[in-house]
Amino acid sequence: MESSSSSNSMIWFRKGLRIHDNPALELAQKGSKHLFPVFVLDPYYIDPDSLASSPGSSRAGINRIQFLLESLVDLDCGLRRLESRLLVLKGEPVQVIARLLKDWNIGKLCFEFDTEPYAQTRDNKVKDIASASGIEVFSPISHTLFDPAEVIRKNGGKAPLTYQSFVAIAGKPSAPLWSIYSKLPPIGDIAGYEILGVPSIQDLGYKDVEQEFSPFRGGETEALKRLKENLVNKKWVAEFEKPKGDPSEFIKPATTVLSPYLKFGCLSSRYFFQCVDDAYKTVKKHTQPPVSLAGQLLWRDFFYTVAFGTPNFDRMHGNKICKQIPWRDDEKLFVAWRDAQTGYPWIDAIMIQLKKWGWMHHLARHSVACFLTRGDLFIHWEKGRDVFERLLIDSDWAINNGNWLWLSCSSFFYQYHRIYSPISFGKKYDPTGNFIRHFLPVLKDMPKEYIYEPWTAPLSIQSQANCIIGKDYPKPVVPHDLASKECKRQIGAAYALNLSGESPDAEEKLNSLRRKLEEDDHDALQNLKQKKRMPK
């Protein structure tokens, strides 16, 4: 006779906030008398942090928390259409799930596999607790196109470190599940638990939120609608080329803006890939990976695989694929960058967009990341990574770290002499400065000739524009031409040392190089002062 527990299943949602192509849901509902769909609000991510530099928790800005809540409301609506609902609880997830497994007499636990270190630790604890109680655990891979562990195994136990080798090893993704449910098994006895609805941002303790939220709404419904709208234009899909696109477009961004939906799993990457593949079949020719639309999904999996197979992927020290570089520790310069006070309007406008929207175009991300690290300020990529990780609605551990390693020339890409100008790069796309005027209204009346370099405007022009540089808007924190030369010199010196993150004496050699570079800077400054004193 079947025990009551074996007919009680739980699907534990974390990412994968969708009903389409969801293997964990498919496994959970199969043969189950009762199905408990659960989401646990983790204080680690959602509790307000009064010390944070902008509204939100220590790990997530308010835009991402709002996007998550919208995604949960939409998931709950989807489950209700199937005569079920989302059971939302709050607390330390391992403790909450352990209690529910016991109290709800669960026989089968299903959740999507997660590659992030925090998730791995959490999930392994839950698996151990469940297995010790004789509960079946299923953790299928569906957040990515491929199983990262399998790709690493095929590559002889190492993560492939180039996109081309990854694509050759990974092959073609498996097809999505096409299951369509008319109804799900009912929820069983919740044993006296009080289950509230999805909370609002105010319910979580964010009382004085007076900001415009990101224009991008969370949820599976919105994800599928946006996917459909993007794929309607077959010509656009066929001709999509990643390096192209205008980073200053903000009324209608020049990309799909599907990344936040992939991050939360409101959209299945396998379903997205399949839809793009189907669109390709209807056109005569289309762009190819790595620049094509399908190629972007493969990039995502590439970073997931490298991140999964590289210990300490999210830091410089102890990371075998990361160049060891003596980054400068200058809190004043870092805060100027973070708070959009660098004096470079293109950079500051992008950082305002990040804070307000939780999103910016990938080339805008390139601009500000290059400026902070190897382009101008020579500040550690980990500091910039933390800001992006907190504020982006599509912040994704593997991709965010991978991109910062790339853009700081610490890994993957090493042409450090190729620098994004904080002046000419934006001007190329938006010569009149509409993007800057929108996000930096203090400069809205500055003539277009000076909008990218307002410090060069004569004082009379600054007065007419109601923006005095140094008073209403800051002067540049560094002179770009000199700063970029200095950055190249310092990275060149670090490259010459060729230190791996695993070198036993890496830190000692790095400190020694840092001291030498500082001495050189001091000597150069003294020489400059001496020259100025010399008679003409």
Side-chain angles (χ1 to χ4, degrees):
M1 187 177 127
E2 187 180 43
S3 71
S4 61
S5 67
S6 65
S7 57
N8 282 354
S9 292
M10 181 190 290
I11 172 162
W12 174 24
F13 286 100
R14 299 90 59 82
K15 295 174 187 169
L17 303 179
R18 64 178 185 272
I19 290 164
H20 75 279
D21 186 31
N22 192 330
L25 178 61
E26 177 71 13
L27 286 161
Q29 63 85 37
K30 213 169 196 168
S32 299
K33 189 175 176 187
H34 297 117
L35 174 62
F36 295 80
V38 169
F39 186 91
V40 183
L41 291 163
D42 187 346
Y44 178 73
Y45 284 114
I46 55 133
D47 274 5
D49 180 1
S50 58
L51 300 175
S53 58
S54 59
S57 73
S58 61
R59 312 289 306 177
I62 201 137
N63 271 313
R64 189 154 87 252
I65 296 169
Q66 177 68 11
F67 192 95
L68 167 65
L69 296 177
E70 289 164 359
S71 301
L72 294 176
V73 167
D74 188 67
L75 178 61
D76 183 47
C77 290
L79 290 167
R80 284 177 189 270
R81 284 194 291 271
L82 302 174
E83 297 179 34
S84 182
R85 62 174 285 213
L86 189 62
L87 306 171
V88 179
L89 297 102
K90 188 183 174 197
E92 198 287 310
V94 176
Q95 292 170 15
V96 174
I97 295 294
R99 211 165 54 238
L100 297 180
L101 292 175
K102 184 168 173 282
D103 293 350
W104 292 351
N105 208 11
I106 301 296
K108 180 167 62 172
L109 170 65
C110 303
F111 54 86
E112 180 181 70
F113 183 76
D114 193 328
T115 53
E116 293 183 24
Y118 174 76
Q120 287 272 301
T121 304
R122 174 197 66 199
D123 294 354
N124 288 334
K125 286 177 187 168
V126 169
K127 280 180 188 171
D128 290 345
I129 291 163
S131 300
S133 303
I135 297 166
E136 281 190 290
V137 180
F138 297 97
S139 185
I141 284 145
S142 55
H143 190 63
T144 47
L145 296 172
F146 305 99
D147 175 354
E150 178 62 14
V151 174
I152 290 165
R153 188 192 63 75
K154 282 184 185 170
N155 194 45
K158 292 178 185 171
L161 293 179
T162 67
Y163 178 85
Q164 289 75 13
S165 61
F166 167 78
V167 171
I169 292 157
K172 195 166 164 55
S174 55
L177 294 176
W178 296 105
S179 316
I180 293 175
Y181 308 106
S182 53
K183 82 189 259 196
L184 290 170
I187 291 163
D189 179 10
I190 56 172
Y193 280 82
E194 188 190 357
I195 307 287
L196 304 169
V198 177
S200 69
I201 200 96
Q202 287 78 15
D203 293 337
L204 294 177
Y206 296 93
K207 300 296 181 197
D208 306 314
V209 179
E210 291 178 9
Q211 70 169 71
E212 55 171 305
F213 280 115
S214 171
F216 311 114
R217 301 273 75 91
E220 179 179 23
T221 306
E222 186 64 29
L224 294 173
K225 176 174 160 251
R226 190 170 274 278
L227 176 67
K228 194 175 174 186
E229 285 168 359
N230 276 294
L231 294 178
V232 159
N233 186 345
K234 300 281 195 291
K235 185 174 183 290
W236 182 84
V237 173
E239 292 175 359
F240 180 92
E241 207 167 327
K242 177 65 181 271
K244 296 181 179 172
D246 183 347
S248 68
E249 284 288 345
F250 61 94
I251 293 166
K252 187 183 184 303
T255 64
T256 64
V257 195
L258 285 168
S259 53
Y261 303 95
L262 289 166
K263 179 258 181 321
F264 282 103
C266 303
L267 175 64
S268 150
S269 59
R270 294 192 302 192
Y271 179 65
F272 187 178
F273 192 92
Q274 184 73 58
C275 290
V276 171
D277 208 39
D278 290 344
Y280 286 161
K281 288 168 187 166
T282 66
V283 294
K284 279 184 179 166
K285 66 175 194 171
H286 57 83
T287 52
Q288 296 294 330
V291 298
S292 64
L293 202 48
Q296 299 318 297
L297 289 165
L298 294 168
W299 268 118
R300 176 176 179 268
D301 260 66
F302 166 67
F303 278 135
Y304 263 88
T305 305
V306 180
F308 186 63
T310 308
N312 303 314
F313 184 70
D314 59 349
R315 64 192 78 139
M316 180 174 83
H317 293 307
N319 181 348
K320 66 181 178 186
I321 69 165
C322 181
K323 295 268 189 197
Q324 304 297 291
I325 294 168
W327 301 109
R328 178 194 292 157
D329 185 14
D330 188 320
E331 192 63 14
K332 200 172 161 195
L333 283 179
F334 166 68
V335 168
W337 175 85
R338 184 194 70 196
D339 294 349
Q341 295 289 304
T342 68
Y344 287 93
W346 172 244
I347 300 299
D348 293 341
I350 294 167
M351 295 305 287
I352 297 276
Q353 185 186 29
L354 168 63
K355 200 169 275 195
K356 284 191 166 180
W357 286 21
W359 183 88
M360 66 277 211
H361 187 276
H362 63 274
L363 290 176
R365 299 178 195 208
H366 291 193
S367 292
V368 294
C370 179
F371 185 87
L372 179 72
T373 57
R374 64 187 170 87
D376 291 79
L377 304 186
F378 209 65
I379 285 170
H380 206 312
W381 61 267
E382 289 175 22
K383 303 265 289 182
R385 181 275 319 279
D386 288 346
V387 172
F388 274 28
E389 186 175 290
R390 209 178 148 262
L391 296 181
L392 282 169
I393 53 173
D394 62 2
S395 167
D396 195 309
W397 186 82
I399 297 163
N400 190 31
N401 280 293
N403 278 328
W404 277 95
L405 282 162
W406 187 298
L407 289 163
S408 64
C409 281
S410 293
S411 194
F412 306 115
F413 174 79
Y414 303 107
Q415 295 173 32
Y416 61 84
H417 53 278
R418 289 176 60 186
I419 285 170
Y420 290 86
S421 163
I423 300 158
S424 61
F425 185 72
K427 199 187 282 187
K428 179 172 71 171
Y429 295 96
D430 181 21
T432 56
N434 289 334
F435 178 82
I436 291 167
R437 293 176 208 282
H438 179 84
F439 288 105
L440 277 177
V442 68
L443 290 167
K444 68 178 174 23
D445 297 323
M446 190 63 71
K448 68 177 184 182
E449 294 81 7
Y450 304 107
I451 190 82
Y452 284 88
E453 301 171 87
W455 63 90
T456 63
L459 196 55
S460 58
I461 301 277
Q462 293 180 32
S463 297
Q464 281 170 12
N466 298 310
C467 182
I468 306 298
I469 304 307
K471 176 172 163 273
D472 303 307
Y473 179 71
K475 292 177 180 173
V477 286
V478 292
H480 170 64
D481 288 349
L482 291 175
S484 59
K485 276 180 192 156
E486 186 54 25
C487 285
K488 287 175 196 172
R489 181 179 79 86
Q490 297 197 35
I491 290 199
Y495 270 33
L497 270 185
N498 199 25
L499 290 174
S500 152
E502 288 186 324
S503 306
D505 53 355
E507 209 155 343
E508 194 185 315
K509 285 185 174 173
L510 211 54
N511 285 333
S512 170
L513 176 60
R514 194 176 277 114
R515 284 191 297 273
K516 183 185 180 303
L517 290 167
E518 281 168 3
E519 282 164 17
D520 291 350
D521 282 351
H522 180 263
D523 291 348
L525 193 64
Q526 293 308 313
N527 287 339
L528 198 64
K529 284 178 180 172
Q530 191 66 34
K531 275 181 186 171
K532 282 184 178 175
R533 285 195 211 104
M534 285 169 73
K536 291 278 192 287

